[in-house]
Amino acid sequence: MRRTLRVGACQTPELLDDVPAALTLIESFATRPEAAGLDVLLFPECFLQGYLPTPEHLSRTAFDLASPEFATILARLAPIRPTLILGMIERRDGAWFNTAAVIAGGTVLGAYRKTHLIDGERAFTAGTDHPVFDVNGIRFGINICYDTRFPSAAAAVAARGGRVLLVPSQNMLRRPAAERWKPLHNTIRAERARETGMWVISADVTGRRGSERIGYGPTSVISPSGAVVAQVETLTVGMVTAEIPPE
């Protein structure tokens, strides 16, 4: 019998410059009852250190994936059974990347580096590749947040045999922008699903940052037909799961 791929996507509070709290939250999600039997666990964009794309924050918090400091983090994550898709700030060859690391059993299997950067992300260097990964014989790739505005980013994953597109996001936005974009995130991702025939699963932050910013999400599962089949309630910390059947 061919196995399915069970994915959990986590809608988290925003954590800024608090790696210990982020690791504790990862462990908490991984031990939730609904996480039992999951194969993949997806976290938001830059989740590990927090999304502040300033040179000061990046220089202070970025990790080299091959460093002893990151090895300590990997050792902490090693007991977690699902493969983790961990949004983080990466330092590599003297540059900073908005990265989603793919981690299993405390080992980095690979990483996707955001290829499309908004104006406020000038401190990052854009990635250039769209790697894919196999779990249970089902292939997935990654787009990060703004990447989904560009059909070519999803198409690159589909061209490599991807059946699932995982989307770490961070939409802690100023209130007028948050209200404007609230219904549009799923609309854009549904277009990518219909174009490519892939499942599109996103993870985002929620809550408020001071009085000016709010994060609604969404953390959702979109079928290849473009239908939103599951979503974490807005302004609620939680998890949504999906079971992707074999072809």
Side-chain angles (χ1 to χ4, degrees), residues 3 32 164 172:
R3 295 181 62 189
R32 285 182 168 219
V164 185
M172 183 62 68

Side-chain angles (χ1 to χ4, degrees), residues 199-200 220-231 240-242:
W199 291 81
V200 178
S220 57
V221 178
I222 298 177
S223 74
S225 69
V228 179
V229 297
Q231 181 171 325
V240 66
T241 63

Side-chain angles (χ1 to χ4, degrees), residues 63-99:
F63 287 106
D64 186 319
L65 294 179
S67 67
E69 293 81 11
F70 198 66
T72 300
I73 289 172
L74 292 174
R76 171 92 176 257
L77 297 176
I80 295 175
R81 196 195 72 80
T83 296
L84 299 174
I85 314 301
L86 179 59
M88 61 172 291
I89 298 164
E90 181 191 4
R91 182 178 65 252
R92 182 173 183 247
D93 298 331
W96 296 311
F97 294 88
N98 184 334
T99 294

Side-chain angles (χ1 to χ4, degrees), residues 103-127:
I103 300 169
T107 298
V108 177
L109 302 183
Y112 169 74
R113 299 171 179 93
K114 191 174 184 179
T115 55
H116 296 86
L117 303 174
I118 63 173
D119 288 344
E121 295 177 322
R122 292 191 183 96
F124 285 116
T125 296

Side-chain angles (χ1 to χ4, degrees), residues 56-247:
E56 295 77 17
H57 182 68
L58 272 55
S59 64
R60 186 176 65 253
T61 65
F63 287 106
D64 186 319
L65 294 179
S67 67
E69 293 81 11
F70 198 66
T72 300
I73 289 172
L74 292 174
R76 171 92 176 257
L77 297 176
I80 295 175
R81 196 195 72 80
T83 296
L84 299 174
I85 314 301
L86 179 59
M88 61 172 291
I89 298 164
E90 181 191 4
R91 182 178 65 252
R92 182 173 183 247
D93 298 331
W96 296 311
F97 294 88
N98 184 334
T99 294
V102 180
I103 300 169
T107 298
V108 177
L109 302 183
Y112 169 74
R113 299 171 179 93
K114 191 174 184 179
T115 55
H116 296 86
L117 303 174
I118 63 173
D119 288 344
E121 295 177 322
R122 292 191 183 96
F124 285 116
T125 296
T128 59
D129 194 19
H130 292 83
V132 292
F133 306 88
D134 291 330
V135 174
N136 291 357
I138 295 176
R139 183 164 294 178
F140 67 85
I142 303 166
N143 282 186
I144 296 178
C145 205
Y146 185 57
D147 284 329
T148 60
R149 295 282 300 278
F150 301 87
S152 59
V157 173
R160 294 185 173 184
R163 298 232 8 253
V164 185
L165 184 67
L166 302 180
V167 184
S169 298
Q170 214 280 10
N171 286 296
M172 183 62 68
L173 303 174
R174 295 188 185 278
R175 285 179 176 270
E179 296 298 337
R180 184 173 71 253
W181 279 99
K182 186 178 178 181
L184 296 178
H185 298 296
N186 278 342
T187 299
I188 291 167
R189 293 167 191 168
E191 291 176 1
R192 304 291 85 85
R194 286 190 293 267
E195 290 164 357
T196 62
M198 291 190 293
W199 291 81
V200 178
I201 302 173
S202 62
D204 211 325
V205 298
T206 194
R208 295 170 176 83
R209 187 197 300 174
S211 60
E212 295 187 352
R213 292 180 180 266
I214 189 166
Y216 288 119
T219 295
S220 57
V221 178
I222 298 177
S223 74
S225 69
V228 179
V229 297
Q231 181 171 325
V232 179
E233 185 178 350
T234 58
L235 295 178
T236 300
V237 172
M239 180 192 298
V240 66
T241 63
E243 189 164 356
I244 311 301
E247 267 186 310

Side-chain angles (χ1 to χ4, degrees), residues 42-66:
L42 172 66
F43 287 89
E45 178 181 15
C46 293
F47 172 73
L48 183 63
Q49 301 106 312
Y51 181 87
L52 283 177
T54 64
E56 295 77 17
H57 182 68
L58 272 55
S59 64
R60 186 176 65 253
T61 65
F63 287 106
D64 186 319
L65 294 179

